[in-house]
Amino acid sequence: MAEEVEKAWKEKERGEAEDEVVTTFDRVARKELPATIVYEDHRAVAFRDISPVAATHILIFPKKRDGLTRLANAEERHESILGHLVLVGTKVAKQEGLKDGYRLVINDGPHGCQSVYHLHVHLIGGKQLGWPPGV
């Protein structure tokens, strides 16, 4: 946990600085980095997290950031892509057989432990999750 917090603070300045900064997710979308992609359409990509916190841990992100480096930057023009990411989450959860439930999480900023400044949704499931999450 401490490692993730440190990484989040380190990435804050670099990630918020420019929408043009190339992120790991940009490279996954362009097939420049190996990833286990479980879903892709013209607007979004979903791939397995390389450091999963549960049996199923998938990251879902928009192919075009359009200013969405973090959730705090969301504007009305982003309503469609934000809804699309949630719907992709439900499709992938069904595809993964998560019939007993799952969690969709968006980390925002350093206090939210965001370490990649390209808005993304974590799909976490495949085990009993606790409440409250990560407090």
Side-chain angles (χ1 to χ4, degrees):
M1 171 74 164
E3 192 175 305
E4 283 298 313
V5 171
E6 184 178 320
K7 187 176 177 185
W9 280 99
K10 187 184 284 187
E11 289 297 316
K12 180 184 185 297
E13 280 188 40
R14 188 177 84 84
E16 287 186 331
E18 300 267 343
D19 193 38
E20 290 81 33
V21 171
V22 176
T23 68
T24 300
F25 297 159
D26 292 319
R27 295 182 66 206
V28 167
R30 294 191 302 235
K31 312 294 190 279
E32 295 173 358
L33 284 178
T36 305
I37 295 174
V38 297
Y39 179 90
E40 183 171 9
D41 63 24
H42 68 288
R43 299 176 74 190
V45 176
F47 70 102
R48 295 197 187 283
D49 194 305
I50 60 170
S51 299
V53 298
T56 301
H57 187 169
I58 293 169
L59 303 172
I60 305 160
F61 66 93
K63 287 183 173 179
K64 291 186 178 183
R65 270 179 283 162
D66 187 28
L68 277 177
T69 54
R70 59 184 290 192
L71 190 57
N73 293 347
E75 299 174 359
E76 284 189 36
R77 66 191 168 102
H78 298 119
E79 182 176 5
S80 176
I81 190 62
L82 290 169
H84 184 69
L85 295 174
V86 171
L87 287 174
V88 168
T90 64
K91 287 179 188 178
V92 173
K94 286 177 187 163
Q95 178 182 298
E96 294 289 315
L98 300 176
K99 62 181 177 7
D100 290 328
Y102 54 90
R103 185 172 288 155
L104 295 177
V105 177
I106 299 175
N107 299 331
D108 183 69
H111 279 182
C113 249
Q114 182 179 4
S115 58
V116 177
Y117 279 78
H118 185 141
L119 183 120
H120 55 285
V121 178
H122 295 256
L123 167 62
I124 301 168
K127 73 173 194 174
Q128 179 62 59
L129 301 173
W131 192 261
V135 176

